[in-house]
Amino acid sequence: MQKALNLLLQNMSEKNATLLTHSLNVAKLSTIIAKNLGMDEEYYYTAGLLHDVGKLLVPNALLDKSISIGKEEREILKNHSKWGAELLRILGLNEFSVIALLHHQDTSDLPLSVQIVAVADKFEAMTSLWRQYKKPVSHEEAINELWSMGIFKPTVIEALTVARAEFSIEKKG
């Protein structure tokens, strides 16, 4: 597993520095949420690293876009979840494929493992400077937005809320 993971991380770094930074931040947040829920921190660190691996197949021009994306581009970008799940299955990293596939699904019946990474992903995206087309919000505003979505288990958002003092996220653009 480590060899495949290292290869994917190297490819992410070479493809797009923001992709790697985002994935590292989601990994850190997922680990903290898992820790506060008494779950396997190493598993969630790896899951956070790999959740967006399908973006390796998205054109850089789309990943680097500094303005809102159109409908066609949104459809291409949306496919990264499906592509990532398939890539992880091919590489024998099946235990992470469901998280890659479902982390953008906005439904309340997501497995807990997906919810942990999805909350970390959404929080990191909302509070980071890397999304050039959207202004970052404060940690409190992001947590309020997660609550208002009404799709995540309260324990997951509470674990993130409790953890706010524990993390320091790199803000690279």
Side-chain angles (χ1 to χ4, degrees):
M1 177 172 102
Q2 194 59 48
K3 187 175 181 180
L5 181 60
N6 289 342
L7 179 63
L8 290 170
L9 293 175
Q10 178 183 343
N11 280 300
M12 289 166 74
S13 174
E14 291 170 3
K15 173 146 182 101
N16 187 292
T18 302
L19 172 59
L20 182 61
T21 299
H22 170 67
S23 295
L24 287 167
N25 288 338
V26 171
K28 291 174 193 176
L29 287 167
S30 296
T31 302
I32 293 167
I33 293 168
K35 175 183 167 193
N36 286 333
L37 293 173
M39 301 178 81
D40 184 348
E41 296 170 47
E42 186 176 331
Y43 172 83
Y44 285 99
Y45 185 81
T46 304
L49 286 175
L50 297 176
H51 80 286
D52 269 347
V53 72
K55 287 185 178 176
L56 286 171
L57 302 172
V58 173
N60 271 349
L62 183 53
L63 291 179
D64 294 335
K65 199 151 189 186
S66 61
I67 58 173
S68 292
I69 60 176
K71 186 177 179 182
E72 282 183 29
E73 293 169 317
R74 198 173 357 270
E75 286 304 311
I76 293 169
L77 194 54
K78 214 163 54 168
N79 282 325
H80 85 275
S81 297
K82 179 175 53 175
W83 297 334
E86 185 59 28
L87 180 59
L88 292 172
R89 280 193 286 274
I90 290 168
L91 293 172
L93 299 168
N94 297 343
E95 67 268 34
F96 303 107
S97 64
V98 170
I99 292 171
L101 180 65
L102 300 177
H103 74 279
H104 283 297
Q105 298 296 312
D106 288 340
T107 176
S108 62
D109 61 350
L110 293 173
L112 180 60
S113 60
V114 176
Q115 288 201 21
I116 289 170
V117 176
V119 163
D121 180 45
K122 288 181 185 311
F123 180 86
E124 203 282 330
M126 286 188 270
T127 60
S128 289
L129 297 172
W130 62 264
R131 287 195 318 173
Q132 299 170 351
Y133 58 90
K134 207 166 197 181
K135 185 179 176 195
V137 300
S138 71
H139 288 186
E140 182 147 339
E141 289 170 310
I143 289 172
N144 288 338
E145 176 66 22
L146 292 168
W147 280 114
S148 71
M149 293 174 81
I151 60 173
F152 299 113
K153 293 182 186 326
T155 54
V156 176
I157 299 174
E158 288 166 5
L160 173 65
T161 303
V162 168
R164 282 195 324 187
E166 293 181 45
F167 60 80
S168 171
I169 302 174
E170 288 183 47
K171 303 287 186 183
K172 291 186 178 176

